[in-house]
Amino acid sequence: MILIGENINIMSLTIGPAFKERNPRPVQELARAEAEAGVDYLDLNIGPARKAGDELMTWVVNTVQEVTDKPLSLDTTNPVAMEAGLKVAKSKPLINSISLQPDRLGQGLPLAKQYNADLIALLWGAEGMPRDANERAMHAVNFVYQANEMGIPNENIWIDPIVSPVSVEINQVKALIEFMAMLADIAPACKSVVGLSNISNGTPAHLRPWLNRTYLVMMLKYGLHSAIVDAFDNDLMALVRGQKPEIVRLVHRMMDGEKPDLASLSEEEVKYAKTVRVLTGESLYSHSWLEI
Ligand code: THG
């Protein structure tokens, strides 16, 4: 699968100030480190970038391209900044993202067409967050239809069903898995992508990787194509590279209804098993879910 490193983002305590001061060093160090960790793309998240977003995006893209050839995911809601990034990106970039809000769609699709870029179709509707798997399906069909009308082929479309934090809405966590199982039928040849770390927003930092990794393995059961991830989570990288097949089997068997005896599992397997129970809604989320 394709991994997109999430780490260059304006919310980061080192990257935010570096963007502001146009200080290349922290940005380039992180870009190099993410590339070495083995991600396929680098997400460059400059946020809404309301003031001079085009200058910022141009600077970030050029700064990163000085140290790596990895393709870039241009992460901003500002269409002027997006176009500035598309102009300077060297390998085929990924527009992150275009939602179904009429103005976003109206400005985004022509950009994707003009620059022959891949694009993330964020399934955020005119009325906001989709409520269930069916609303996601409706949005996906609608998006693909409008993109095709513009001459954009399904192969260029990466569908993002929007991951919600498990500490906020377990029904949304379940609905996304349900949608993933439907996607290949609804939008053949389209790709899928998720912002994985959203699942653990609001969770204590040292526990976040368990939620991230387990949810990723759950989505892999339905052929997830790509994810925006923490490039420095080594165990996550190992799972994706097939280096932990026993964990993948355990998670998938539990999704099929098997209830393993925790006493028969290793300490690591117990953590994954408890996390599957939370992410399927079988146990209630609390910050101490791994201890009970
Ligand atoms: N879909 C798409 N794009 C996205 C998202 C999505 N882009 C943004 C986000 N969601 C994915 N990227 C991140 C990046 C960082 C974090 C979460 C998601 C994160 N960072 C830590 C924090 O904020 O506590 C650490 C910050 C740091 O680097 O210091 O949680 O869903 N298409």
Side-chain angles (χ1 to χ4, degrees):
M1 80 174 288
I2 302 291
L3 295 177
I4 304 166
E6 74 181 12
N7 304 80
I8 300 178
N9 74 82
I10 193 154
M11 313 245 277
S12 146
L13 296 177
T14 50
I15 296 304
F19 280 1
K20 209 168 162 197
E21 295 154 11
R22 302 287 197 270
N23 174 9
R25 178 89 67 77
V27 178
Q28 291 181 331
E29 270 173 14
L30 199 50
R32 259 202 215 98
E34 283 192 78
E36 269 164 30
V39 297
D40 304 287
Y41 280 75
L42 300 181
D43 191 67
L44 305 181
N45 184 348
I46 66 162
R50 287 196 192 87
K51 271 191 264 161
D54 50 345
E55 278 168 48
L56 176 59
M57 184 61 99
T58 303
W59 179 82
V60 175
V61 169
N62 285 331
T63 299
V64 166
Q65 287 183 156
E66 279 173 26
V67 297
T68 176
D69 295 331
K70 297 280 178 197
L72 305 175
S73 159
L74 307 176
D75 194 346
T76 180
T77 45
N78 176 342
V80 179
M82 182 64 71
E83 179 155 22
L86 292 169
K87 276 188 181 143
V88 288
K90 286 180 191 155
S91 30
K92 190 178 188 179
L94 182 56
I95 293 177
N96 185 9
S97 56
I98 304 173
S99 75
L100 283 110
Q101 290 155 289
D103 54 325
R104 294 278 157 77
L105 203 60
Q107 292 173 317
L109 291 180
L111 277 182
K113 176 76 187 159
Q114 184 184 342
Y115 290 89
N116 186 33
D118 280 354
L119 66 108
I120 296 182
L122 190 75
L123 300 186
W124 181 272
E127 276 108 52
M129 185 74 182
R131 275 162 295 196
D132 56 20
N134 285 327
E135 272 192 20
R136 286 175 167 81
M138 209 175 68
H139 287 336
V141 169
N142 183 3
F143 191 105
V144 171
Y145 175 79
Q146 297 198 54
N148 289 167
E149 286 282 288
M150 287 278 311
I152 296 169
N154 288 17
E155 288 72 18
N156 291 14
I157 304 173
W158 303 33
I159 293 185
D160 183 343
I162 312 179
V163 173
S164 318
V166 67
S167 59
V168 174
E169 235 304 21
I170 185 62
N171 286 325
Q172 288 285 19
V173 173
K174 291 159 69 174
L176 185 142
I177 297 290
E178 211 186 308
F179 172 78
M180 284 301 305
M182 301 158 62
L183 183 57
D185 292 326
I186 300 167
C190 285
K191 293 164 173 141
S192 52
V193 61
V194 294
L196 185 64
S197 301
N198 299 0
I199 191 69
S200 60
N201 257 329
T203 295
H206 68 288
L207 298 173
R208 293 186 65 172
W210 294 105
L211 290 166
N212 298 347
R213 294 171 202 152
T214 308
Y215 203 44
L216 184 69
V217 174
M218 289 173 69
M219 293 186 284
L220 281 179
K221 189 171 199 281
Y222 301 110
L224 180 71
H225 171 263
S226 59
I228 306 169
V229 301
D230 175 5
F232 307 120
D233 181 345
N234 296 327
D235 277 24
L236 185 146
M237 303 297 266
L239 279 164
V240 167
R241 291 186 186 127
Q243 290 161 0
K244 288 178 174 286
E246 73 294 349
I247 300 291
V248 175
R249 270 198 303 275
L250 171 68
V251 171
H252 291 179
R253 285 207 314 265
M254 288 183 72
M255 292 170 76
D256 288 333
E258 210 176 290
K259 304 211 182 307
D261 173 13
L262 295 190
S264 71
L265 302 178
S266 71
E267 213 177 300
E268 185 188 27
E269 287 168 337
V270 168
K271 288 191 166 131
Y272 281 100
K274 286 182 174 176
T275 310
V276 172
R277 285 180 180 171
V278 167
L279 290 172
T280 53
E282 198 186 317
S283 352
L284 215 54
Y285 175 82
S286 77
H287 292 345
S288 53
W289 89 95
L290 287 178
E291 282 140 51
I292 48 178

